Each structure stands twice: as structure tokens, then as C-alpha cells.
Amino acid sequence: MKKTLVLLGLTLFLSCGQPKTQLLSSAELPQKEVKNYLQTITADELKTYLHIVAADSMQGRDTGSKGQKKAGDYLIAQYQKMGISHPKEANSFYQKVPAEFMQINFSPKMNDSENIWAFIPGSEKPDEIVVISAHYDHVGMKNGDIYNGADDDGSGTVALLEIAQAFMKAKKDGHGPKRSLLFLHVTGEEYGLHGSRYYVENPLFPLKNTVANINIDMIGRRDRLHPNTNNYVYVIGSDRLSTDLHKINEKANSLYTQLDLDYKYNAKDDPERIYFRSDHYNFAKKGIPAIFFFNGVHDDYHEPGDTPDKIEYDALAKRTQLVFATAWEVADRPQRLVVDKDGK
């Protein structure tokens, strides 16, 4: 996740109050099918992926570096093994993001980089797109130390692989998503949300056809405010543009994962301004309903200690399952999400 100068420390306080909404009826979610494919998302597979994506050999996956490109090659190879291709509208898995686009005042000089996209076409509404995103690069090496970025955002990166695998299995079984799914691994997040900004300014599909953005950035650890449990996830932005999206996520959690949905960082007076600090925000600025899943800040945030051995894979699996269940309903419901809020 993009780092800011806002101090955490004593300003943090626990606030788990949830907005009161009327939940969808259970009949609106195909529970048996969701449960079947949700169970294919496992801690063991996530661990296998992450120990490669966040390995020392990736050298911290700095934006535009050899390590980041090596990690990207690995991601593409996994999609190909699953039988998932890039969108037919593109000629490869890459959306090139030029260095000039990522150059802003006082920022370090960047190398050319790439977003990576994989695509599962919808069976009934293929022109309507659900974007599921995570940034796959991190901050590289400093003074000889490797900043592995296992949680930030290796956890979200491998979650996308598992979610894609579950949807592809459903598709092969004749239960594929009705709307199309774009799995978008974005670059340059740590330096200014560049990759997601590049995508929304140069979209492969018209933004008017983009139903929602579901973004994952750090879901593999517990934070300072939850020292005794990992059975929670922060949910940010779900009700800023669409009441539908908020209700869908709450119902999916009630039916399948029973996590504590913590809305602390969704507060409009949140001093950390987390809502503005990950890639979903570039979609929300364009009026696209967006939801962001986050585990909060821990002592290894943007430190060399953010390594794969410290990930709590049971929590990573459960949070990934919630994202999958939410994405399933967004992709399969009869009507697209209604935008009934102003995004503020």
C-alpha cells in the first residue's frame, strides 16, 4: 500500500461499528455453488504462490526492475496453466506503463513498467466488466536489504491467482460468471497509484461498462489493533458509491466467512485517509463502485521484515474467499450495481 507521512502510533483507535444496512435475502446468492468453488481457495496454494512471488530472488519487485518483471512472468505462467488468457482486445498479457507517465514532482526516476491483465469472459453479459485488482510490485532493495513485500502486496497478488483459478473451475463446470472478469495486476502503486491511474486513463474496456472494482492490498497479516485475532478484515469504500456493493459484501460474509468486517478506515474523518491510498481510488474517482480489502498496518509495513514466513495463511485464505464470494455475486446478479451515492 502507498505509504504516507501520517503517523499511526497513538492516533489509532479501535472502531468496529458497521453501517446498518438491510441484507440481501439468501436466495439471491447461489450458496451451494459458491461454497463448492470457494473451498478451492486454500492456504497451502496461497503459501506456495507467495513463497515464489515474495522470494528473495525477486529482489523486492521494485517498479520497472528485473525482479518485478520476473514476478510478472511467473504470474502470467500461472494464468496460462489455468487456461486463462489475456483479453482478446489486447495482444498480450501486458499493458505497458511508460516511465514518463509515472514521473511526478520529487519522485524518483522510474523505469518503464507494465500492468498485467488476465480475462475470463462472461457468459451472458460479456461487455460488462468486473475488475479485480492488486498491485504486484513493491519497493525493491535498500542498503542491501530486500524488502520482500509479502503482505504489501504479495498477499493480494496471490489472492488474485486463487480467485481466478476458482472462477475458471466454475466456468469449466458450466457455472462461469455472467459478467466478464478482468484480473488486473497493477504497477507503480507505491510511488503514486500510477498503474491503476494509467488503466483508468487508458482503459481496455469503456469505463461506462465497468461495473465495479474489487481491490486487495495487504490481507495476509494482523495489525496492531487486533493482537488477539486474525478473524477480521477492514472494508473500505463499499458504501461510498453503491449501497448494492456494500450489502452484497456483508451478505457474502454472513453466509460464507463470518469475518469481523471492520469499517474504521471507511470513516470519512479517518486521519490515515486509507480510502485514498490504494488503487481502488482511481476507479472510484471515475464513478465506478469500488471496495478495498485491507488488514491494517503492522510492524513490518514497508520494512525488510515483510516476509512470506510471517503471513497468516489461514487468514489470507479466508479473506480471499470473501473477495471471491463478493465478486461472484457482483458478476452474476441480474442487474448491475446501482450507483446511488456521490462517492464522498
Side-chain angles (χ1 to χ4, degrees), residues 143-296:
N143 301 318
D145 291 324
I146 299 172
Y147 288 63
N148 300 81
D151 193 27
D152 187 10
D153 184 28
S155 60
T157 299
V158 300
L160 259 62
L161 291 177
E162 279 288 88
I163 293 166
Q165 178 180 270
F167 272 112
M168 193 60 183
K169 179 171 175 51
K171 182 177 178 65
K172 290 177 179 177
D173 292 344
H175 303 298
K178 294 177 182 177
R179 292 179 176 84
S180 296
L181 302 176
L182 180 68
F183 297 92
L184 186 63
H185 298 266
V186 293
T187 189
E189 190 270 356
E190 301 287 6
Y191 298 100
L193 313 183
H194 295 310
S196 55
R197 181 168 59 91
Y198 189 82
Y199 178 81
V200 300
E201 293 182 16
N202 302 273
L204 186 62
F205 304 100
L207 292 184
K208 66 181 181 180
N209 293 352
T210 302
V211 172
N213 171 234
I214 300 173
N215 185 53
I216 311 170
D217 192 351
M218 298 175 58
I219 58 166
R221 298 275 296 266
R222 72 181 72 183
D223 71 353
R224 301 161 183 163
L225 301 182
H226 297 84
N228 300 317
T229 182
N230 62 22
N231 193 55
Y232 76 94
V233 68
Y234 291 106
V235 178
I236 302 162
S238 61
D239 63 347
R240 296 288 184 107
L241 281 156
S242 175
T243 305
D244 285 344
L245 180 56
H246 182 75
K247 290 179 180 178
I248 285 167
N249 184 64
E250 288 205 330
K251 188 60 182 182
N253 182 60
S254 175
L255 287 173
Y256 305 115
T257 49
Q258 293 84 52
L259 289 160
D260 175 14
L261 303 183
D262 194 328
Y263 293 95
K264 169 183 168 55
Y265 293 122
N266 192 50
K268 294 182 179 180
D269 60 353
D270 166 32
E272 310 307 323
R273 292 175 60 81
I274 299 293
Y275 175 66
F276 306 95
R277 288 171 52 186
S278 192
D279 292 297
H280 64 284
Y281 183 60
N282 282 320
F283 289 87
K285 285 196 298 184
K286 298 291 186 179
I288 296 168
I291 183 171
F292 169 31
F293 296 90
F294 176 51
N295 58 214

Side-chain angles (χ1 to χ4, degrees), residues 34-48:
V34 175
K35 284 181 179 178
N36 284 343
Y37 300 112
L38 178 148
Q39 290 170 2
T40 70
I41 296 170
T42 68
D44 285 345
E45 289 185 351
L46 288 161
K47 184 175 183 179
T48 297

Side-chain angles (χ1 to χ4, degrees), residues 51-61 66-68 70-71 146 148:
H51 273 266
I52 296 173
V53 168
D56 285 352
S57 60
M58 301 297 181
Q59 298 184 321
R61 309 186 309 282
K66 291 181 179 179
Q68 178 236 306
K70 182 178 179 181
I146 299 172
N148 300 81

Side-chain angles (χ1 to χ4, degrees), residues 120-131:
I120 298 178
S123 59
E124 295 183 14
K125 302 174 185 290
D127 293 334
E128 295 187 11
I129 313 297
V130 180
V131 178

